[in-house]
Structures are given as structure tokens and as C-alpha cells.
Amino acid sequence: MTTGDMAENMDATLIRDPMGGATPSGVRDHNERLVLSLIQRHGALPSADVARRANVSAQTVSTIIRALEKDGLLIRGEPIRGRVGKPSIPMALNPDGVLSLGLNIGRKSADLVLIDVTGAIRAVAKRTYAYPTPGAVMRFLEENLPKATAPLEALGRARLAGIGVAAPFELWNWLDIVNAPKEEMQAWRDFDIEDRVAAVTGLPVILRNDATAACTAEHVFGRGREFADYAYFFIGSFIGGGVVLNDTVYTGRTGNAGAFGSIPVASGAGVPRQLIDHASIFLLERRLSKAGIDPAAIWDPGTDWAAFGAALDDWIEHTARHLAIGVVAVSAVIDFERILVEVNAPPEVRRRIVERTRVAAAGLDTQGIGAPVIAEASVGRNARAIGAAALPILDRYLLSQPRFG
């Protein structure tokens, strides 16, 4: 049962606080999710702190915590001794309690990860290609699934929540940019990703736009936990993004909220173009090719990007200049607390892009709006796969709006 289904079945008069829990036994599942969400968001907490933050009775929380501990979802920390009374025992998520798979289908690579409930990666596999095809992606999944699930042998398959899939919507678009043959890429139009992944894995599948999945990773495991409202930019082969409102990742009517790559920006000649044409890694590939450097090096996680020299410097400046326009544009719509930026690149490259974007944004006219505060995201270049893996955990164990107390 999803959180939305539970909300429909709950009698509103039984809820003490719309951001807290309810004590009747009929909504125990909601309260269990609430306890797990609070501990996931704030770290290890004694039961008294959980009860206070959730606005649920101490007795109810104690009962829930005992049940979750028995099920292997929570573990006890070291007792905290005060001046008087019994020591309090902080309860933390058991890293072995829940694990989940995430498959990212990128335009230049595919990634498969196994993560635990704390966001730590237990296994990872990666494959690069010139362009994605359904056959290549499914072969990658079939070949690497045994390796990815090997850590479960000692824990049991019951600990596996499911598999999330992150993929760009309409993979068959922008074929001229990725130099992919139209005939092969059109196969994605009639390819049921969820059905095929379920057939290969035998697991529940949740599909999400890749940039929204990356935003989910940041919100559940990264700096996003600090803010209730923010815009998230992810710079991959193409730039995309996500939107968080009221502490919830907002997917939108069609699941494509945060499609920041479509924001209109002006080129040097004043011709309207989209942000995707000015702040995406495919532009770096072109610069490297012109400089005589193999662009495939971009997709090797072990590559030191400092070796890209002037081509990288030029790309960072061009990206930051246009990203600043996009940042101001989204800030004019919603007064976000932060603008978080992630890049499928080494952390040093992300840092440089954020720094140069701040400089570029400071030079733009922001009269009438609050100056946007731009910061680095923290999950890293695997954010899309990690976010995909987070989806089954959220669906089965956590609440979608976890900021309480």
C-alpha cells in the first residue's frame, strides 16, 4: 500500500498532527513509516525524541520501535547516560535491514547499484556505449544482476525492497546530438522498461525520470535534507533537474517536473536556444574531439579531468554563464531556499562550475526577486542510480514528506 493509498483510508479526525502520526491501530503502518522516516532524516534518536518530533505518545512509539527492532529494521546504539534517571538508548536504521537495486539508463552509460537504507553503495556495475539500445541495456542488467545481488546471500532476498529505474523520458529524442541511428533508438518507443526489468529481476519496479531520480537521491541521502524547498540541476550528457516543494520531490503532472534543460536562453548571436544546448556534457565531448582528445575518457570514472586542459576550462565557463540564466529563471517562479547543482564529473569540476555560476549569476539583473543561493549537491555522479534505488525504499518503508519536529 502506498502512502497516498493510506492517506485516503485514514480518518482525518484520528490524526493529531498532519505532519505527525496517529495512534489508532488501523494506521499503524503509517506510524511505522513515520518512525523510520524520522530516524532516517535526523539520525539515531532515543524513543522519547521520536515521540516528541512525531507528536505520538511515548507508549505508542516504544511499541513501534520494539517491533521494528524485532524485524531487523532498527538497531540500538550506545546508551546515553544523563545526570538522573535511566540512560536513553538511541535507535538507528539497521544498514542490513533494507537494501534496494537501482538501474540508471543514461545516454552514454548504464549503471546498476545495490544500496542499503542509509544510502551506502554495497555493489556497483557500469557499462559505457556509444548510444543506448534496449538490447544493450537488458544484456547489461542480466549480466550484472548476480554480481550486484551477491551481498544479499548472507542477508536473504527478503531484505531487497525492489528495483528502481532512472531513464530520460523520450530516449529517442535529440538523436543528432548523440549521433545515434534513428532506427535503433526508435525501438525505445514501444519498449516497456518496467515490464522487461521486472521479467529479468522478478522484483517490483518503479520507473522515474533520471534527473528526478537524482534529485530524490539528494533529498533522501544528501544536502537536500537541509532544505524544504529547492531546485536541483543535474548536468549529465544533457542537463536536467528536479523540484522539491514542502520537503517533497515534486514530479509534476506528467512526471517531468524540473525539465530545466528546456529553459530558453540566448546564444551569442541572440538566437533563442534551450539550456540543454549550452550546459550539457555533450558540448565538452565536442571540445575534446576538436582538441584531439578521445571524448570517451569522460565516461571513465578513473579519468583525471585536469588533463582536459583548456577544453575543460572553456566548457566550464560556457556552462556556468548559461546555467546562471537558468538559475535566475527558476528563482523567478519559486523563491527557493537553495539551488543545488550536481555534475556527472569529479567533485573538483562540480566545485568549479558552482563557483563560476555564482559569479555569473551575480552579474545578472535579479531585480524583483531574491538573489538565488547556489550550492553544490553532495551525492555525486552516481546520483541517478542511487536515486533510482531509493524509490522502492521510499515506497515501502518511508513517508514522502519526512520533515518533522
Side-chain angles (χ1 to χ4, degrees):
M1 181 181 292
T2 66
T3 304
D5 294 332
M6 289 188 294
E8 293 178 3
N9 294 330
M10 288 167 56
D11 182 348
T13 61
L14 300 179
I15 302 177
R16 297 174 59 190
D17 184 333
M19 292 290 286
T23 53
S25 59
V27 291
R28 181 167 179 247
D29 187 53
H30 171 88
N31 284 335
E32 288 181 347
R33 288 171 178 257
L34 173 58
V35 170
L36 290 170
S37 297
L38 281 166
I39 294 173
Q40 192 280 327
R41 177 54 58 109
H42 298 288
L45 293 172
S47 61
D49 284 359
V50 174
R52 177 179 56 79
R53 291 175 181 273
N55 195 20
V56 174
S57 73
Q59 181 179 358
T60 297
V61 168
S62 294
T63 301
I64 291 172
I65 285 179
R66 284 196 299 270
L68 294 174
E69 184 182 13
K70 181 179 179 181
D71 290 341
L73 298 177
L74 294 178
I75 55 176
R76 297 181 177 223
E78 292 296 323
I80 302 173
R81 301 185 183 278
R83 293 183 178 179
V84 295
K86 295 181 179 180
S88 61
I89 300 175
M91 303 300 296
L93 295 180
N94 180 4
D96 292 333
V98 180
L99 291 91
S100 184
L101 289 163
L103 172 66
N104 172 56
I105 304 173
R107 296 185 186 274
K108 289 293 185 179
S109 64
D111 307 274
L112 181 66
V113 300
L114 177 73
I115 69 167
D116 63 38
V117 70
T118 70
I121 295 178
R122 298 294 188 92
V124 61
K126 185 180 186 70
R127 177 167 300 171
T128 59
Y129 36 63
Y131 51 86
T133 63
V137 171
M138 287 301 104
R139 283 193 297 274
F140 165 74
L141 177 60
E142 291 170 354
E143 293 169 4
N144 289 278
L145 186 63
K147 171 187 172 183
T149 55
L152 287 167
E153 292 178 4
L155 301 174
R157 191 176 174 87
R159 294 295 183 188
L160 192 58
I163 182 169
V165 180
F169 284 175
E170 300 184 353
L171 267 163
W172 53 87
N173 279 337
W174 293 292
L175 300 181
D176 55 330
I177 293 177
V178 295
N179 296 318
K182 181 177 180 180
E183 298 76 18
E184 293 192 53
M185 293 297 288
Q186 290 298 319
W188 286 108
R189 284 184 177 271
D190 301 316
F191 187 79
D192 190 326
I193 295 177
E194 292 177 86
D195 183 67
R196 292 295 297 275
V197 171
V200 170
T201 64
L203 294 169
V205 181
I206 299 177
L207 177 65
R208 194 75 86 241
N209 172 271
D210 60 337
T212 303
C215 182
T216 299
E218 189 65 33
H219 193 58
V220 177
F221 302 120
R223 285 203 67 193
R225 287 181 286 188
E226 301 174 25
F227 313 111
D229 304 284
Y230 61 92
Y232 174 90
F233 286 81
F234 185 91
I235 302 175
S237 291
F238 298 159
I239 189 171
V243 175
V244 172
L245 298 173
N246 297 322
D247 205 47
T248 302
V249 177
Y250 177 72
T251 57
R253 178 176 56 85
T254 64
N256 204 29
F260 298 146
S262 299
I263 293 174
V265 298
S267 68
V271 179
R273 298 292 298 274
Q274 291 188 330
L275 183 59
I276 199 171
D277 297 313
H278 291 285
S280 299
I281 290 180
F282 81 85
L283 296 169
L284 176 59
E285 289 184 298
R286 292 181 177 179
R287 281 174 163 79
L288 293 179
S289 294
K290 289 181 180 179
I293 301 173
D294 183 1
I298 290 174
W299 310 109
D300 180 356
T303 298
D304 181 0
W305 284 33
F308 296 158
L312 176 65
D313 297 339
D314 292 344
W315 175 74
I316 288 175
E317 287 299 319
H318 186 90
T319 297
R321 208 164 51 245
H322 291 85
L323 178 58
I325 298 173
V327 165
V328 171
V330 301
S331 299
V333 179
I334 297 174
D335 186 17
F336 290 110
E337 292 181 68
R338 288 292 188 281
I339 307 294
L340 298 182
V341 178
E342 187 60 88
V343 187
N344 187 7
E348 172 63 15
V349 174
R350 179 182 64 195
R351 182 189 63 78
R352 290 179 60 190
I353 288 176
V354 168
E355 288 180 351
R356 298 309 301 166
T357 302
R358 288 172 179 157
V359 172
L364 297 176
D365 186 356
T366 57
Q367 184 174 354
I369 65 173
V373 181
I374 307 166
E376 292 182 64
S378 63
V379 171
R381 61 197 309 178
N382 282 323
R384 292 170 297 180
I386 293 172
L391 296 172
I393 296 175
L394 283 166
D395 184 63
R396 292 185 59 181
Y397 296 98
L398 303 176
L399 296 177
S400 61
Q401 190 179 41
R403 186 178 296 273
F404 311 98

